[in-house]
Amino acid sequence: MRKINEFVKRTRRLKVHLLILDHLKKQFGWFSKGKTQQKLLANLAEQFRQIAKEHNLNLRSDFPNPTRFREVIGQFDLSKFPKMKPKFIESLTDILEKDIPKLMESLPSMTVSSGDDEEGDAANPFALMESGTDAALSGAKGWVVNSTDKARFDVDFHKLSLVGGKASGQQVMVVMQKSGLSRDTLKKIWDLSDIDRDGKMDHEEFALCNYLIQMVQNGNAIPPTLPIRLVPPGKRKLLEFN
């Protein structure tokens, strides 16, 4: 499972790097190419935000450090880079959204060991309601949904018909109803999970939704609001790069 997760992470990063180069390449016109490159690299963090929003990507975990990326890419003339072929991105997307889920389905069910970094906190969601240092947490390491559960939730997510990386509310509702929980309970879970209030769910919101369902099935109450460690990394307000 760790090797699969690492492969997925590396493939996602490759896809993001290709999207970055393609995005920057498209900004060049016929003239003042040197000034255009300087302007783009000086405002690289904003370029990353535009790409993340357009392609529904996780700004914190999927993108490289802008300072380091600027140092490396600044050694090249971006205007001379070859034009990106859509089939490259499509192939990587198929791997992530079709091939990996199929592979996960073929694997025997796995038992999560107690040694996972997030297991202790995930087992007792009420411990997450405490304020304090949790507010300083950032990235996937501060999320209660551990990598094993996230991979399992992703399999179910990618079985749905996605548009722009998101599943419709109707599709997610069908999945949620399979839990057997009451309509009122599912409504509360939806309200907490649909963080951007667009009536759809991306992979992080879907994972949170499933986590909350399991939490209730295990006898825990639904929190009135989401503590920071229940909020998916890509949905936290602090999206600034370190």
Side-chain angles (χ1 to χ4, degrees):
M1 179 63 71
R2 290 183 183 275
K3 291 183 178 180
I4 294 177
N5 289 338
E6 183 64 22
F7 174 78
V8 170
K9 182 171 66 174
R10 290 176 180 270
T11 304
R12 286 181 64 86
R13 286 181 177 175
L14 172 59
K15 178 181 177 179
V16 169
H17 277 73
L18 292 177
L19 290 173
I20 291 173
L21 295 177
D22 185 51
H23 175 83
L24 297 177
K25 170 74 174 178
K26 290 178 179 178
Q27 309 305 311
F28 287 88
W30 288 101
F31 305 104
S32 303
K33 295 182 179 180
K35 291 183 178 180
T36 298
Q37 176 158 330
Q38 290 179 2
K39 182 179 179 180
L40 289 171
L41 296 185
N43 197 24
L44 201 54
E46 179 58 31
Q47 301 299 322
F48 284 4
R49 290 186 181 90
Q50 292 178 17
I51 299 168
K53 183 177 181 180
E54 179 181 355
H55 298 280
N56 195 37
L57 298 169
N58 188 319
L59 188 60
R60 301 192 67 91
S61 63
D62 290 337
F63 284 74
N65 180 282
T67 301
R68 176 57 180 160
F69 187 84
R70 184 184 300 112
E71 293 174 353
V72 175
I73 204 67
Q75 303 176 39
F76 302 91
D77 184 347
L78 293 176
S79 66
K80 295 182 178 179
F81 277 32
K83 185 178 180 180
M84 187 66 61
K85 295 182 178 180
K87 68 177 182 180
F88 291 161
I89 300 298
E90 292 173 2
S91 296
L92 293 174
T93 300
D94 285 343
I95 291 174
L96 292 169
E97 297 186 359
K98 297 179 181 180
D99 297 340
I100 292 298
K102 287 181 180 179
L103 175 61
M104 295 293 293
E105 286 183 326
S106 69
L107 296 176
S109 59
M110 301 180 67
T111 302
V112 182
S113 67
S114 59
D116 198 304
D117 293 341
E118 301 300 331
E119 276 300 295
D121 291 330
N124 184 3
F126 292 100
L128 307 173
M129 303 302 291
E130 300 289 340
S131 60
T133 57
D134 274 359
L137 291 170
S138 64
K141 290 185 179 179
W143 196 21
V144 295
V145 181
N146 61 53
S147 59
T148 303
D149 284 341
K150 180 58 166 60
R152 181 163 53 83
F153 296 147
D154 281 349
V155 171
D156 292 334
F157 179 71
H158 289 295
K159 290 179 181 178
L160 305 177
S161 297
L162 307 180
V163 177
K166 293 192 174 187
S168 68
Q170 187 67 30
Q171 292 184 90
V172 178
M173 182 181 73
V174 173
V175 175
M176 295 175 69
Q177 289 175 331
K178 294 179 181 179
S179 67
L181 299 178
S182 70
R183 180 177 179 180
D184 185 59
T185 298
L186 293 178
K187 183 178 183 297
K188 292 178 181 178
I189 291 175
W190 174 275
D191 287 339
L192 290 174
S193 302
D194 184 19
I195 296 175
D196 55 12
R197 298 292 185 267
D198 64 353
K200 306 174 185 177
M201 286 194 185
D202 63 13
H203 64 101
E204 286 188 324
E205 292 171 318
F206 185 80
L208 171 62
C209 176
N210 279 275
Y211 179 87
L212 291 174
I213 287 174
Q214 291 186 356
M215 190 178 77
V216 174
Q217 290 175 329
N218 288 333
N220 299 295
I222 303 174
T225 59
L226 291 177
I228 188 66
R229 293 193 65 188
L230 275 176
V231 180
K235 294 295 184 294
R236 294 174 186 175
K237 294 181 180 179
L238 301 178
L239 293 179
E240 296 298 327
F241 291 98
N242 295 330

